Amino acid sequence: MAVIKCLLIILLLVIGQSVCLQDNETVVNNTVVENNVNRLPKYIAPFHYDIKLIPHIVEDNFTSDGEASIDLEVREPTNTIALHSLELTIDESLTRLTRKGSDDVNAVSNYVPKQHEYNNHTQILTIRFKERLDPGIYNLYLKFIGVIRDSYIRGFYRSFYTDNEGHKVWLATTHFQPMSARQAFPCWDELAIKATFKFSIKHYPNYTALSNMPSVRSEIDPIDGKLWTYFETTPVMSTHVLGFVIADYDYVSNLDGTIKVWVPRHLLRYATFPLDVAEKATRELERFTNSTVPMPKMDHVAVPHFSSSATENWGMIIYVQYAFEKSPKFETAMLVTHELAHQWFGNLVSPVWWDYLWLSEGMATYLKYYITDKFFKEWRLMDLFVVQREQFMFLVDSSSYKPININVTNHLDVHNAYSYFYTYVKAAILLRMASHFLREDVFRNGLIKYLQRHEYSNVTPDDLWKALQDALDESDVPHDDFKVKEVMDTWFNQGAYPVVTIDRNYDTGEIKVTQHKRVQLSKDNDITEENNTWWIPLNYMTQSDLNSSTLATHWLKPQDESITIEGIDINDWIIVNKQLTGYYRVNYDVINWRRIAAFLNSDDYDKIPILNRAQIIDDVYYMMKTEQIDFNIFFEVINYLSRESDPVPWYRVFQIIQPLITTYLSIPSAVEIFKPYFFNLTYNLIEHIGFDDHPDDDPVTTEIRLKFNKIACSYNTHPKCREKAITKLLAYVEDPIVNEISFEQEFFFCFGLVQANESIWNQFLQRTNETSTNSYYLFPLLSCSENLDILEKHLNLEKIDYNSFFGNMLENLLDIDMTIDLFIKKFDQIIADKSDEYILHEIIMRSIEGDQIEKIKAFAEQRGLDISKHLAYRKESLNKINDYLSKIRAFENNQFSVPMHITLNNDTSQANKIDT
Ligand SMILES: *[C@@H]1O[C@H](CO)[C@@H](O)[C@H](O)[C@H]1NC(C)=O
Ligand SMILES: *[C@@H]1O[C@H](CO)[C@@H](O)[C@H](O)[C@H]1NC(C)=O
Ligand SMILES: *[C@@H]1O[C@H](CO)[C@@H](O)[C@H](O)[C@H]1NC(C)=O
Ligand SMILES: *[C@@H]1O[C@H](CO)[C@@H](O)[C@H](O)[C@H]1NC(C)=O
Ligand SMILES: *[C@@H]1O[C@H](CO)[C@@H](O)[C@H](O)[C@H]1NC(C)=O
Ligand SMILES: *[C@@H]1O[C@H](CO)[C@@H](O)[C@H](O)[C@H]1NC(C)=O
Ligand SMILES: CC(=O)N[C@H]1CO[C@H](CO)[C@@H](O)[C@@H]1O
Ligand SMILES: [Zn+2]
């Protein structure tokens, strides 16, 4: 259902908000989240923990007995000790505080608490003493019972897998990030309160206990026959990257046993690829950071239930099992690299507080592309980064004002600090930008300094900027006109991004560069402006100078009204922001745009670097949408795509031309024109990448092929797609295990089924019911038919979801007339299910032809339905479409100039205005 709404928003057209974001910043509505994160007083500093745990991984019990012995320093006189604790039952009678005499180490003073006070909301346990505690070194002992929580929850929790014999096998794991260590044992659970930790865990001997450090020894307890595993003491570290797993797993290992990948025994085959990546990524990261992994060993553990894709516990990374079993290889590889990068960025050096979480997440995100790219070159991950992340981030950032540095005060803020787009992606984009204007080697030297200076400690962005500045000062990169901190603060402390405008005077040769406040695309199409300005690194290439340096040749400063670039040949074109290393868009004067378009439409088009081709497409589209340039320029640029066989520039194109396609190809009278246009535009691309997947394809190629196939099948632009769909379907019916297809490729089944007769349908249903793991395919596919009898039969099935049935019919653009007929026929059932409003709305929005809407109006009248609201919405949408179509038509009449691989139908007379 979400999908069809997206399509309709897109149909609402190009000038509107066609961003269809998945909201990954889900707001947690728990009451706790609005509470302030109460900070622990600073006058107590723990420095070593000795934690003993006896987890009972037994159904009907799932508790954990624990003891904590914590060495701490009292820095100012006090009579209270406050620390975090959650869901722990403390045996108060056994709590004790001891102090070793400062002169005579044998003189020990004991303190018995007067009171334990627990605050439910702050999760803080305050222990009060009668006596004043003078500054000095103390030991706090606590005995407690905790719970091993249910699956998927953070903290200390249980999970299970089903082995080959069908037995449920329990295991226990942790997920402490961001603030759940306190649920496993009492502790000072804040990022910057670092200490050393020594764990001992008792468990059944048929399980293995893993933790951050290697086990130093193990020993059977003669009383109950269970095994104690004792771990080495950790380096100085934060609580949120501690962890342990108790499971009966198997592993694969590198030669010297320092890297192991742990999985349930029957899944061992999935462990070899992550191991290979872990070895390669470790080697590259060690080279990059000029240091060794700061831990004696690194375990990579897959657990069945995990509420994120992975967590970077120091020395023991935990992944969701799915990431090894099912994810595409390039994603698994980048995930492993990301978590390994954290071993330095995040664990060795950590942000002081959640305000700057990007110092670990943004860095790990940048490095997962940059480092993985070094050993899987063929995947073109840095290109993927730009077209998949940077260009998408422009969309996100067009409708938001969020800065990356934030002030975190309550639990909701902590949650928001994990904002995927800002903390991870945008920060990574800006780090890439810095790596180019500083030059990669200088950037790296700065990071090495940063790690050396702040190891085992905490940092703010200023510490990073300082290290980069020092590396810059020592380098031969010209740097008199900017300061790293000053530049980067403008990008991290304010939201959005700038648009740089290039205005050329073709008489004087002068080129004027200004930064324009980004133009916002708001929901109602208002174009609003903001007052932000940035420090913008500029570089450029021209037709006669295609040099590839990405250092900044000019800086556009926040206070500059404009700057000028000189010495460019008047007859050249200029393209600013090489390789899209600067996080900004560029607009040009009309003549320069036209020259770029003409060059792209020539045989020399590939002299413009691939990422700039991608940039030009995305920028020209944005300028057109925000009415900063003429529609025709957009079309002139887009037409070059008929030459483009490299999938990288196509990445955004499918998102951009989706509205055109959806509009044009769903209007029967426009199909004749647009189908050949689309066929010709994609001809070279498809010649190059083909319809079928190959194991060695890079991720962009795979994704572009998938997107292309979806369009080709939906609109039947390329008959080969539906041929392929029926082949895949028949193969599946033959052997559903061997020929299983992934969720992303499910649409092939749909378009195979559209062509299927009743007998194939029955075989398909039978196969899918037999192989229960595939049954999730079933429901969305039931509407994939253009045979009324089959559709009706499916609608009579029990538990049918009308909304998704009709939603899918419309999304897959199966026959609209048939959808209307079916809706009318089944209306009584639908209304009984209360699904009528939604479906009616969707159908009305899709009923573009006059006789379709008349049929619905007549039906509504007959049944006394008020559809005026839907009609008004449809009218508004169609007005926009008409407006758009008229623009396209004006252009198409004289300039649809794609090189023809098949003849374009010149008869536009049918493509008349749509009836609203
Ligand atoms: C959100 O709040 C609703 C109503 O108070 C509650 O039913 C639901 O479980 C909450 N969801 C979460 C994730 O806490
Ligand atoms: C859980 O098992 C342990 C060990 O057998 C036992 O000491 C403890 O009392 C049990 N807890 C519960 C709640 O049954
Ligand atoms: C607070 O404590 C009470 C009593 O122990 C408990 O019932 C309740 O669930 C707790 N509330 C929260 C939010 O943990
Ligand atoms: C481990 O041993 C315990 C006690 O003998 C037994 O209950 C449990 O089923 C065993 N677990 C596995 C995974 O073998
Ligand atoms: C890497 O470390 C070695 C040895 O400590 C040192 O000599 C070298 O200069 C370092 N390289 C960089 C780029 O920091
Ligand atoms: C955070 O607080 C500082 C100091 O009060 C303020 O200058 C800054 O604008 C705040 N940032 C945000 C994102 O609210
Ligand atoms: C950009 C991104 O990370 N999107 C993710 C948002 O969350 C959904 C569902 O959890 C994922 O499928 C997307 O990949
Ligand atoms: Zn991370």
Side-chain angles (χ1 to χ4, degrees):
M1 265 163 29
V3 180
I4 186 116
K5 270 195 193 122
C6 274
L7 280 173
L8 286 173
I9 293 170
I10 289 172
L11 193 64
L12 263 184
L13 264 229
V14 173
I15 309 290
Q17 183 79 338
S18 70
V19 190
C20 211
L21 294 181
Q22 257 179 334
D23 188 1
N24 284 38
E25 295 162 34
T26 335
V27 172
V28 178
N29 70 340
N30 204 312
T31 49
V32 172
V33 299
E34 275 156 32
N35 290 333
N36 278 343
V37 181
N38 288 54
R39 303 296 292 269
L40 293 169
K42 296 216 186 327
Y43 55 80
I44 308 258
F47 58 89
H48 177 73
Y49 293 67
D50 192 335
I51 307 289
K52 292 193 172 61
L53 292 174
I54 309 177
H56 305 295
I57 311 171
V58 179
E59 279 181 53
D60 304 323
N61 191 327
F62 293 122
T63 58
S64 166
D65 299 328
E67 292 173 75
S69 162
I70 308 167
D71 296 328
L72 52 87
E73 184 187 355
V74 173
R75 290 178 173 157
E76 288 167 27
T78 176
N79 58 2
T80 63
I81 293 181
L83 72 168
H84 288 114
S85 167
L86 177 63
E87 295 172 11
L88 300 176
T89 309
I90 312 257
D91 186 341
E92 297 181 3
S93 67
L94 295 178
T95 304
R96 55 178 192 268
L97 182 72
T98 53
R99 181 178 184 199
K100 294 188 179 118
S102 46
D103 305 326
D104 177 2
V105 278
N106 294 321
V108 173
S109 334
N110 285 304
Y111 301 84
V112 177
K114 180 173 72 172
Q115 186 200 24
H116 290 67
E117 183 189 300
Y118 184 63
N119 183 323
N120 235 347
H121 290 292
T122 60
Q123 303 174 349
I124 290 174
L125 169 70
T126 305
I127 306 171
R128 294 183 202 287
F129 297 88
K130 282 195 291 284
E131 304 87 346
R132 192 176 77 156
L133 309 173
D134 287 322
I137 304 296
Y138 293 74
N139 177 275
L140 174 68
Y141 173 86
L142 294 159
K143 188 161 171 32
F144 55 92
I145 299 174
V147 289
I148 305 176
R149 292 168 148 189
D150 209 345
S151 302
Y152 282 118
I153 302 180
R154 300 209 177 196
F156 187 17
Y157 70 92
R158 58 194 190 258
S159 174
F160 64 85
Y161 66 89
T162 309
D163 68 14
N164 279 343
E165 283 77 52
H167 300 124
K168 190 170 184 177
V169 182
W170 289 102
L171 56 124
T173 181
T174 60
H175 190 175
F176 290 160
Q177 216 169 46
M179 312 191 279
S180 294
R182 62 190 70 171
Q183 188 264 332
F185 54 90
C187 57
W188 278 255
D189 200 8
E190 285 187 13
L191 267 179
I193 307 187
K194 293 192 171 186
T196 57
F197 297 81
K198 191 169 137 205
F199 286 110
S200 312
I201 296 177
K202 187 158 113 174
H203 51 92
Y204 284 131
N206 52 3
Y207 279 77
T208 305
L210 300 170
S211 183
N212 307 81
M213 298 301 286
S215 82
V216 56
R217 69 192 166 95
S218 54
E219 157 185 303
I220 296 276
D221 183 334
I223 297 168
D224 55 15
K226 289 188 177 177
L227 188 69
W228 273 109
T229 298
Y230 300 99
F231 296 94
E232 282 177 31
T233 301
T234 68
V236 176
M237 64 183 288
S238 308
T239 49
H240 73 120
V241 283
L242 291 165
F244 31 87
V245 173
I246 302 120
D248 80 322
Y249 273 11
D250 203 353
Y251 67 88
V252 292
S253 149
N254 68 342
L255 280 180
D256 66 4
T258 51
I259 305 176
K260 293 192 177 108
V261 179
W262 298 80
V263 292
R265 293 168 194 285
H266 66 293
L267 298 176
L268 206 56
R269 67 183 181 284
Y270 294 110
T272 45
F273 179 67
L275 177 67
D276 178 46
V277 175
E279 288 192 76
K280 289 174 168 148
T282 303
R283 205 175 307 137
E284 280 308 328
L285 282 161
E286 291 190 339
R287 194 173 298 160
F288 183 75
T289 59
N290 203 27
S291 64
T292 50
V293 177
M295 277 294 194
K297 60 88 185 171
M298 192 65 61
D299 288 313
H300 300 258
V301 190
V303 304
H305 306 91
F306 204 68
S307 58
S308 69
S309 43
T311 290
E312 67 266 21
N313 304 320
W314 217 4
M316 189 198 59
I317 301 167
I318 304 181
Y319 301 81
V320 66
Q321 187 177 305
Y322 183 94
F324 289 175
E325 236 183 321
K326 301 257 164 77
S327 295
K329 279 206 150 94
F330 77 97
E331 280 179 9
T332 307
M334 287 204 289
L335 182 63
V336 171
T337 308
H338 176 113
E339 305 308 334
L340 280 171
H342 276 310
Q343 307 302 311
W344 286 266
F345 298 96
N347 298 356
L348 180 63
V349 175
S350 330
V352 289
W353 189 240
W354 306 104
D355 300 18
Y356 314 117
L357 184 58
W358 68 265
L359 284 168
S360 61
E361 295 305 346
M363 193 67 79
T365 303
Y366 170 68
L367 291 176
K368 83 174 179 184
Y369 286 88
Y370 183 80
I371 294 291
T372 314
D373 180 58
K374 299 220 176 283
F375 52 91
F376 286 129
K377 268 259 162 275
E378 64 280 14
W379 284 344
R380 304 174 68 181
L381 294 175
M382 292 316 289
D383 290 348
L384 180 72
F385 179 73
V386 171
V387 295
Q388 183 189 47
R389 297 291 178 229
E390 181 162 355
Q391 293 196 319
F392 191 73
M393 194 62 215
F394 281 136
L395 285 187
V396 178
D397 239 357
S398 297
S399 52
S400 164
Y401 301 90
K402 279 190 208 163
I404 302 175
N405 287 335
I406 55 174
N407 292 327
V408 170
T409 56
N410 61 38
H411 285 79
L412 184 59
D413 295 336
V414 176
H415 182 80
N416 289 340
Y418 277 89
S419 151
Y420 179 74
F421 289 120
Y422 292 88
T423 304
Y424 289 68
V425 175
K426 187 171 174 184
I429 291 166
L430 298 175
L431 289 168
R432 172 175 174 266
M433 175 168 90
S435 82
H436 282 272
F437 72 69
L438 295 172
R439 211 171 60 202
E440 286 186 44
D441 58 317
V442 174
F443 182 70
R444 173 177 169 241
N445 287 341
L447 293 185
I448 291 172
K449 282 184 200 297
Y450 165 80
L451 290 172
Q452 279 172 350
R453 284 178 194 171
H454 305 288
E455 58 180 8
Y456 306 107
S457 175
N458 294 77
V459 283
T460 67
D462 285 352
D463 296 315
L464 177 61
W465 307 146
K466 175 81 170 61
L468 292 173
Q469 183 69 50
D470 291 347
L472 178 64
D473 292 343
E474 288 166 14
S475 76
D476 59 357
V477 171
H479 54 268
D480 289 343
D481 46 358
F482 71 98
K483 287 271 173 277
V484 177
K485 173 178 162 54
E486 221 179 317
V487 171
M488 296 311 276
D489 277 350
T490 63
W491 297 90
F492 278 87
N493 289 338
Q494 53 188 359
Y497 62 86
V499 175
V500 167
T501 300
I502 307 295
D503 223 329
R504 300 179 62 177
N505 182 326
Y506 292 90
D507 297 326
T508 63
E510 187 190 81
I511 299 184
K512 192 167 124 193
V513 187
T514 43
Q515 61 171 302
H516 277 247
K517 301 123 191 182
R518 175 216 51 174
V519 175
Q520 139 125 38
L521 310 169
S522 80
K523 284 222 169 54
D524 9 82
N525 244 352
D526 288 343
I527 293 177
T528 51
E529 296 202 341
E530 270 192 282
N531 287 321
N532 300 354
T533 49
W534 288 260
W535 271 83
I536 304 174
L538 299 172
N539 56 42
Y540 55 83
M541 75 191 113
T542 64
Q543 196 160 345
S544 44
D545 180 6
L546 295 161
N547 85 78
S548 61
S549 161
T550 47
L551 286 176
T553 54
H554 297 70
W555 283 92
L556 190 50
K557 305 186 184 78
Q559 63 277 13
D560 288 338
E561 194 68 33
S562 70
I563 62 165
T564 54
I565 296 177
E566 276 151 16
I568 307 294
D569 187 326
I570 282 182
N571 299 309
D572 273 358
W573 47 252
I574 181 171
I575 292 174
V576 171
N577 196 7
K578 274 183 277 184
Q579 310 286 355
L580 202 43
T581 54
Y583 181 58
Y584 56 92
R585 294 187 184 279
V586 187
N587 195 4
Y588 304 95
D589 56 85
V590 175
I591 294 175
N592 198 65
W593 268 123
R594 288 231 136 95
R595 285 184 184 172
I596 293 173
F599 193 79
L600 281 172
N601 280 289
S602 78
D603 288 344
D604 285 335
Y605 75 96
D606 58 357
K607 291 198 172 136
I608 297 178
I610 200 101
L611 290 177
N612 284 102
R613 276 148 44 207
Q615 169 209 30
I616 287 163
I617 287 174
D618 196 37
D619 284 354
V620 79
Y621 171 68
Y622 171 87
M623 300 309 156
M624 182 272 286
K625 271 183 70 169
T626 51
E627 299 175 359
Q628 302 186 66
I629 61 162
D630 191 77
F631 201 79
N632 289 355
I633 293 178
F634 167 70
F635 258 91
E636 284 171 37
V637 169
I638 288 289
N639 275 353
Y640 112 86
L641 288 166
S642 63
R643 297 174 181 275
E644 185 63 82
S645 59
D646 189 316
V648 164
W650 279 95
Y651 198 90
R652 278 282 292 138
V653 173
F654 277 107
Q655 289 155 7
I656 289 170
I657 65 175
Q658 183 78 40
L660 289 174
I661 293 167
T662 321
T663 310
Y664 247 151
L665 295 185
S666 49
I667 301 169
S669 53
V671 169
E672 288 144 67
I673 297 165
F674 203 73
K675 231 185 203 177
Y677 173 69
F678 182 71
F679 185 91
N680 286 316
L681 204 63
T682 51
Y683 186 87
N684 275 332
L685 173 71
I686 299 313
E687 282 290 293
H688 184 70
I689 66 172
F691 284 85
D692 298 314
D693 290 336
H694 307 288
D696 297 335
D697 283 334
D698 63 85
V700 175
T701 300
T702 307
E703 184 152 347
I704 290 301
R705 187 186 293 117
L706 189 69
K707 286 180 174 172
F708 173 78
N709 268 317
K710 251 183 200 167
I711 294 173
C713 265
S714 293
Y715 302 96
N716 212 1
T717 53
H718 297 63
K720 250 198 175 145
C721 188
R722 290 199 181 187
E723 280 165 29
K724 181 176 166 175
I726 191 90
T727 309
K728 279 188 182 259
L729 177 69
L730 292 176
Y732 173 83
V733 166
E734 192 71 26
D735 185 342
I737 308 288
V738 173
N739 300 310
E740 188 193 7
I741 62 176
S742 66
F743 180 72
E744 300 81 52
Q745 301 218 346
E746 196 198 53
F747 69 92
F748 279 123
F749 278 172
C750 186
F751 291 101
L753 288 167
V754 165
Q755 308 165 71
N757 60 22
E758 195 142 6
S759 142
I760 296 177
W761 253 110
N762 289 340
Q763 291 176 51
F764 171 76
L765 293 180
Q766 200 188 338
R767 287 282 182 257
T768 306
N769 280 333
E770 285 164 8
T771 45
S772 60
T773 54
N774 292 340
S775 57
Y776 64 91
Y777 283 145
L778 197 54
F779 275 101
L781 293 174
L782 289 173
S783 62
C784 295
S785 179
E786 288 178 344
N787 177 324
L788 202 56
D789 294 337
I790 292 177
L791 288 171
E792 266 193 75
K793 199 169 100 192
H794 293 167
L795 271 180
N796 290 335
L797 289 174
E798 251 179 87
K799 288 200 235 147
I800 192 80
D801 177 344
Y802 294 99
N803 282 349
S804 71
F805 188 95
F806 281 93
N808 280 307
M809 262 186 105
L810 293 164
E811 184 197 335
N812 291 321
L813 269 185
L814 304 177
D815 194 329
I816 304 275
D817 293 294
M818 186 180 289
T819 314
I820 296 172
D821 290 346
L822 199 60
F823 175 75
I824 289 176
K825 197 156 179 191
K826 296 287 166 190
F827 186 72
D828 289 324
Q829 271 167 256
I830 294 169
I831 202 165
D833 189 61
K834 297 195 169 57
S835 302
D836 50 310
E837 273 297 311
Y838 167 75
I839 301 174
L840 201 52
H841 178 79
E842 300 299 314
I843 287 186
I844 288 173
M845 292 304 290
R846 282 303 178 99
S847 295
I848 290 175
E849 302 287 301
D851 48 352
Q852 292 168 346
I853 201 68
E854 286 315 317
K855 198 179 219 174
I856 296 171
K857 278 184 187 162
F859 176 70
E861 192 164 331
Q862 181 203 335
R863 303 293 298 251
L865 308 172
D866 178 12
I867 57 169
S868 51
K869 203 172 61 197
H870 307 311
L871 288 175
Y873 198 45
R874 172 179 179 271
K875 184 164 179 174
E876 190 190 330
S877 152
L878 289 188
N879 279 339
K880 286 184 184 161
I881 294 178
N882 273 327
D883 179 41
Y884 189 59
L885 284 181
S886 64
K887 284 182 183 164
I888 291 187
R889 201 141 299 129
F891 175 78
E892 146 205 308
N893 282 339
N894 42 34
Q895 310 193 49
F896 245 171
S897 56
V898 186
M900 289 302 133
H901 303 286
I902 63 165
T903 328
L904 189 70
N905 185 343
N906 277 328
D907 177 15
T908 56
S909 60
Q910 286 190 42
N912 286 324
K913 196 166 168 336
I914 299 162
D915 186 13
T916 59

